[in-house]
Amino acid sequence: MDKASPKYLELVRWINTQIQEKKLTAGQKMYSENELKEMFGVSRQTVRHAISVLEGEGMIRRVRGSGTYINDNRFVNLSKRMRVAVVTTYVDGYIFPRTIQGIENVLLEEGYSVQIAFTNNQVGKEKTILEDILNRDEVAGIIVETTKSGIPNPNMKLYREILKRGIQVIFINSYYQGIDIPHVSINDKMAGYRMTKYLIDMGHTKIGGIFKLDDGQGQFRYAGYMEAMLEAGLEIDDTRILWIDTVDIRRMDRLTDRVMERYRDCTGLFCYNDEVAFGLLEVFKKAGISVPRDISITSVDDSELAVLGEVGITSAPHPMEKLGKKAAENLLQMIKAPFADANFEFDVDIVQRDSVRRLDTAT
């Protein structure tokens, strides 16, 4: 390298020459920072300075979770696209219509059209939708609600291909482990902690939990439950924990025997969400168990289901429309500045209703 010029500038010129001579071609993955550092005997700071200059000149493009690529016209064209794909698990749930409304309000105001698809929480359907997005190659970004985020997902290769093409992606409600894609969600661990602690503060010590196994939210809420129990010095009894999946949650009546076995000596129960809690109200009613006289219940989402039954359910609100709005705003920020920090988790409040009784004052 020419010692008369700054080292970073010599590196910039060398890479430009490689591109001009077609030794590095459009869309090709460029040398890593470590490779350039070793090749030219310069510091990592010098390499990063050179890459920053090349990126500013539009010669290269860094792709989150994938690497650095030689730029081509398709990346320039991405910034001109005015369509965003929105992929959620369901269309009929109590959360999704308002979340989608929040997303649409932001995107439509900014001049973007919205392409909506639903996975029904099935990885096969998610695969089909992602393949269609790749084949059409029309969107500037994607807002995705993860599908069964609590278990390994076979569609990571498709997500990495999407990132490689420079299409921005943001997850909502949860996220997949092992891929660098930001998410907007509630703080699920905090939700589990606060709703369990509320039961503890109301005098309960024998507290069970019912959690969704195949979604990441269930695992984080379980972690919050455990933290609250341990902090209070209470026993975590595995026999008081019930794990359910997407199929179970739609047919709570089929779980009666398991519910009766798990919670026969519990005075309090933290439920994964309002859908589960509402289903349990019916299970307990048929079994002659009164809420909150015999068992107290807390939940998450504060949906219409929390007030639909004979007993109002104490629940932690899900921001729904605000979450959709925030996800859309952060995606637009990423489209303008790909390495913007787009992660965001909403804090958790408690809406108190009649599903919890205070044991230390009960007669």
Side-chain angles (χ1 to χ4, degrees), residues 86-113:
V86 177
V87 183
T88 65
T89 52
Y90 299 107
V91 63
D92 57 346
Y94 51 72
I95 288 176
F96 309 110
R98 290 180 59 185
T99 300
I100 292 172
Q101 181 180 346
I103 292 170
E104 287 185 321
N105 287 345
V106 171
L107 294 179
L108 295 178
E109 185 175 337
E110 293 296 322
Y112 285 82
S113 62

Side-chain angles (χ1 to χ4, degrees), residues 43-59:
S43 68
R44 187 179 298 274
Q45 183 178 0
T46 296
V47 172
R48 288 179 176 173
H49 191 180
I51 289 175
S52 179
V53 170
L54 288 163
E55 186 177 24
E57 293 176 351
M59 300 301 293

Side-chain angles (χ1 to χ4, degrees), residues 125-150:
K125 181 66 173 174
E126 180 189 47
K127 177 177 182 288
T128 300
I129 291 169
L130 295 178
E131 288 174 338
D132 184 65
I133 289 172
L134 284 167
N135 290 335
R136 291 177 181 271
D137 201 19
E138 297 172 341
V139 300
I142 313 172
I143 299 174
V144 185
E145 186 190 28
T146 51
T147 297
K148 296 181 180 176
S149 55

Side-chain angles (χ1 to χ4, degrees), residues 33 49 91 94 112 123 146 165 167-169 220 226 243 246 275 280-281 313 330 363:
E33 289 183 3
H49 191 180
V91 63
Y94 51 72
Y112 285 82
V123 294
T146 51
R165 294 192 186 185
I167 299 170
Q168 298 300 320
V169 182
F220 285 119
M226 286 197 300
W243 290 96
T246 298
E275 187 176 7
L280 285 179
L281 287 180
I313 300 169
N330 285 11
T363 57

Side-chain angles (χ1 to χ4, degrees), residues 17-53:
T17 299
Q18 296 295 300
I19 294 172
Q20 291 167 6
E21 294 178 355
K22 306 297 184 183
K23 294 177 181 177
L24 291 173
T25 58
Q28 181 180 344
K29 191 170 185 177
M30 209 184 74
Y31 302 104
S32 68
E33 289 183 3
N34 284 335
E35 287 173 329
L36 291 172
K37 179 174 173 288
E38 293 299 321
M39 287 166 64
F40 295 99
V42 295
S43 68
R44 187 179 298 274
Q45 183 178 0
T46 296
V47 172
R48 288 179 176 173
H49 191 180
I51 289 175
S52 179
V53 170

Side-chain angles (χ1 to χ4, degrees), residues 318-360:
H318 187 291
M320 301 184 197
E321 189 170 342
K322 288 182 180 178
L323 186 145
K325 179 175 181 290
K326 184 65 176 176
E329 289 172 345
N330 285 11
L331 180 70
L332 294 180
Q333 185 182 15
M334 291 164 62
I335 291 172
K336 296 174 183 176
F339 283 83
D341 183 5
N343 286 297
F344 188 85
E345 293 187 352
F346 288 87
D347 288 339
V348 177
D349 295 320
I350 299 175
V351 176
Q352 301 178 29
R353 296 192 178 90
D354 299 327
S355 64
V356 179
R357 71 162 179 156
R358 184 182 293 277
L359 289 188
D360 57 358

